[in-house]
Amino acid sequence: MASEKILKQKQTVIDEIKSRVNEANTIVLFDYRGLTDSEAKELRRKLRESNSDYKVYKNTLMARAFNDLNIDLNDSLNGPSAFAYGEDQVAPIKILTDFAKNHPALNLKVGIIDGEIADKAKLGEYASLPSRDGLLTMLAGGMIGLVKDLSICLDLYANQKEEN
């Protein structure tokens, strides 16, 4: 049996994992085996640019934390797993997916987006979404198009009234 001190340390790590899960909007578990130290630093730098990060925990501690939160990810906790988290729903997924394209050693396993479990296919769908800025630009473009069409219609109507 482990000593009281070790059990307390493990419980501290479990509480840290639970805290990160509760605070983050997106969590992604991925396999990092095969990444070099410089590649891992590059990934961490890219994640931090979007207010995200990742950390490596023992699978047994992650499993206990997820079980305490009633999240069933035990099937995905095989082999070494890293735990990426962020406030933005899409940014960590996009960064990890883009990074995995150039670094085949990185392999996405599963994610939790706004409390819902997302498998690899669902993560791929989220990764294909435009960024928040891109979506806002598309929205603004659509709204400008409506205003432009309205102004053309009003101008044509005004010209028609002047002719009569």
Side-chain angles (χ1 to χ4, degrees):
M1 175 107 183
S3 71
E4 192 68 32
K5 183 179 178 183
I6 292 173
L7 290 175
K8 193 177 238 184
Q9 289 173 339
K10 288 182 178 185
Q11 188 59 46
T12 302
V13 173
I14 292 169
D15 292 340
E16 177 184 335
I17 295 169
K18 291 191 315 191
S19 171
R20 290 191 195 281
V21 169
N22 288 329
E23 291 172 4
N25 289 326
T26 298
I27 295 153
V28 181
L29 293 177
F30 63 96
D31 186 350
Y32 61 91
R33 282 184 291 189
L35 290 180
T36 64
D37 188 44
S38 62
E39 291 171 339
K41 287 179 183 176
E42 179 186 352
L43 175 60
R44 180 164 276 140
R45 182 184 51 76
K46 287 182 178 186
L47 283 168
R48 285 187 177 159
E49 288 173 1
S50 69
N51 292 328
S52 304
D53 202 355
Y54 81 90
K55 191 158 181 172
V56 178
Y57 296 105
K58 289 181 124 185
N59 284 343
T60 55
L61 298 179
M62 282 197 286
R64 287 188 54 196
F66 290 138
N67 286 337
D68 288 351
L69 295 169
N70 296 322
I71 300 171
D72 183 24
L73 295 180
N74 292 334
D75 296 339
S76 302
L77 293 174
N78 298 326
S81 298
F83 178 89
Y85 53 92
E87 294 175 8
D88 189 327
Q89 285 91 348
V90 180
I93 299 168
K94 289 179 82 64
I95 291 168
L96 289 169
T97 303
D98 290 343
F99 196 82
K101 288 177 186 173
N102 298 325
H103 303 86
L106 189 137
N107 183 23
L108 299 181
K109 292 181 174 184
V110 69
I112 303 171
I113 297 112
D114 287 332
E116 293 184 25
I117 296 175
D119 61 357
K120 229 176 166 178
K122 192 76 161 174
L123 290 174
E125 290 176 22
Y126 278 107
S128 66
L129 289 175
S131 66
R132 183 177 190 277
D133 292 337
L135 288 172
L136 290 174
T137 302
M138 291 178 357
L139 176 66
M143 293 173 73
I144 287 173
L146 290 172
V147 171
K148 182 181 111 187
D149 291 346
L150 177 64
S151 67
I152 290 171
C153 288
L154 291 174
D155 183 52
L156 289 173
Y157 182 73
N159 290 338
Q160 183 183 20
K161 283 295 187 180
E162 286 177 2
E163 291 174 1
N164 291 337

